[in-house]
Amino acid sequence: ANLRTVVLDKNPATGALAITSHIANYPGVDRTMSGAELLEQMKNQAVEYGTRYERAQVFMVDVSGDETGDDVYTKCVYTPDYTVKARSLVLATGAMGRSGKPFPG
């Protein structure tokens, strides 16, 4: 299919899963492990199947298609060191617990 997957990870040691000490009953996981272990297992599997995995801070995403000048690669992901042009994009920003008062209403 001539497709390549790139994962840009700001910091694998942060995030709700990474700081979880005990993961049990997770699909595809046959033992109890820490969140950091699970993330490492997921990363290794992705890399084994051809994913390019890089540590990078993304500071801007453009999905307008204007920047690429290309009808196929219409998305641009900008890091301080390089730009990734892509046909499609999955944006996973993560989740962390909120501190402070909830929104009114």
Side-chain angles (χ1 to χ4, degrees), residues 37-88:
E37 287 176 291
L38 179 58
L39 286 171
E40 185 66 22
Q41 183 175 312
M42 291 175 174
K43 174 189 166 191
N44 291 341
Q45 182 180 10
V47 169
E48 183 180 323
Y49 283 92
T51 297
R52 191 174 104 208
Y53 186 95
E54 297 190 15
R55 189 161 179 184
Q57 171 74 44
V58 173
F59 66 85
M60 188 169 88
V61 175
D62 180 4
V63 296
S64 69
D66 298 337
E67 289 294 316
T68 65
D70 190 321
D71 291 336
V72 177
Y73 298 99
T74 58
K75 283 88 174 149
C76 286
V77 179
Y78 298 93
T79 76
D81 299 319
Y82 53 86
T83 300
V84 176
K85 295 180 180 182
R87 290 185 274 187
S88 57

Side-chain angles (χ1 to χ4, degrees), residues 9-28:
D9 191 351
K10 176 179 75 172
N11 186 351
T14 62
L17 188 57
I19 62 173
T20 302
S21 62
H22 185 85
I23 303 287
N25 197 23
Y26 197 89

